[in-house]
Amino acid sequence: MFLVHRTDLPRDGRRPVRLSGYGGFNIPVEPRFSAVGAAWLRLGGVLAHANIRGGGEYGRTWHQAAVGMRRQNAFDDYIAAARHLVATGWTTPDGIASRGNSNGGLTVAVTALQAPEAFGAVYCRAPLLDMLRFPAFPNLSGTTVEYGSPDDPDECAYLAAYSPYHNVRPDRRYPVMAIASALNDRTVPPYDPLKMIAALQAGAPQGGPYLLVPLRDSGHGGGTTLTALVEQDVDELSFLCWALGITARPR
C-alpha cells in the first residue's frame, strides 16, 4: 500500500484517510497528482493506495489471483488494508473514506457491505453493482473473462454471493455512501447506482444516509468536459469532508 501525506503529519490516530483501490483487469493503482488529492493533503489527510490482488501491481500471477471465482481475494485484501491503517495508528474506522471508480467502485461497494464497520464513508463512482445482469449491457459481455459468467451455475452462485445489489441486509449498519452514476456511460450500466441506492434506502434503514450523485456530462472513455470535472471534484471533496467531519481549514 502506498501512503502519501505531508512530511510533518503526526501519526496520531486521528488522520482522515482516503483509501482507494481497483483490484481488476491487470490495472495498477499508483499515486499520481490530482486536484482532489492535493486538497485532501492540504486538509491534513492521508492518501492510501491499496495494491490488491486482481490489479496489475505485481504481474500476471497477482492479477490471476483474483479473477473469476477467486475475486474474493481482492475484497479481502482491501478490507485488510483498511484495518492495517487503524492497526498502525494512522486513523480510526470512522476516519476512513473508501473511494473507487469503475471496477474500483465495485470493490468499495462490496467491501462496504461485507465489512461496514471498517469504513466511515464510501464514494463509489461509475460502478458495476448487479453482478447477475452485467453481461446484458452491450459493452460488458466480454468481461465474463474477468468476472465469470452468470450463465455458468457455479460462477453464478459465486457472483451472487458478493454482488452488491443482491447482498443488502436489513440487520447491517452500513456507512454513509455516495454512489455516482455517469448517466451517459456506455461502458458500465448507468442504472446500477440508481438500483443500488433504492435497495439501500429500502432495505438497510439502520445505516446511511445513501446519496445518489448524477453525473450528466461524464462517463468512461475520457469524454468529460473540464467544467464537469471541476464540479465532480468539488462534489466529491465536499462529500468526504461532510461525511468525516473535516473542516475547511488546513490542519
Side-chain angles (χ1 to χ4, degrees), residues 14-134:
R14 298 186 296 109
R15 297 297 101 198
V17 178
R18 181 177 178 263
L19 173 64
S20 61
Y22 196 78
F25 296 91
N26 200 31
I27 294 174
V29 172
E30 300 167 338
R32 62 186 63 185
F33 178 82
S34 71
V36 169
W40 188 257
L41 297 177
R42 184 171 173 79
L43 290 168
V46 175
L47 297 172
H49 303 267
N51 302 319
I52 61 178
R53 283 173 285 183
E57 292 86 359
Y58 299 108
R60 184 174 183 273
T61 301
W62 189 253
H63 169 225
Q64 290 295 320
V67 167
M69 293 177 67
R70 297 183 292 273
R71 202 74 182 182
Q72 186 61 43
N73 286 332
F75 308 138
D76 290 344
D77 288 353
Y78 192 77
I79 294 168
R83 291 176 172 158
H84 177 77
L85 290 165
V86 175
T88 52
W90 283 107
T91 190
T92 65
D94 288 343
I96 297 178
S98 176
R99 197 271 187 197
N101 181 70
S102 189
N103 179 76
L106 170 65
T107 297
V108 302
V110 171
T111 52
L113 267 60
Q114 291 186 353
E117 76 288 346
F119 308 100
V122 175
Y123 190 85
C124 178
R125 186 186 184 281
L128 187 62
L129 298 168
D130 184 343
M131 299 307 294
L132 299 187
R133 292 185 56 83
F134 73 91

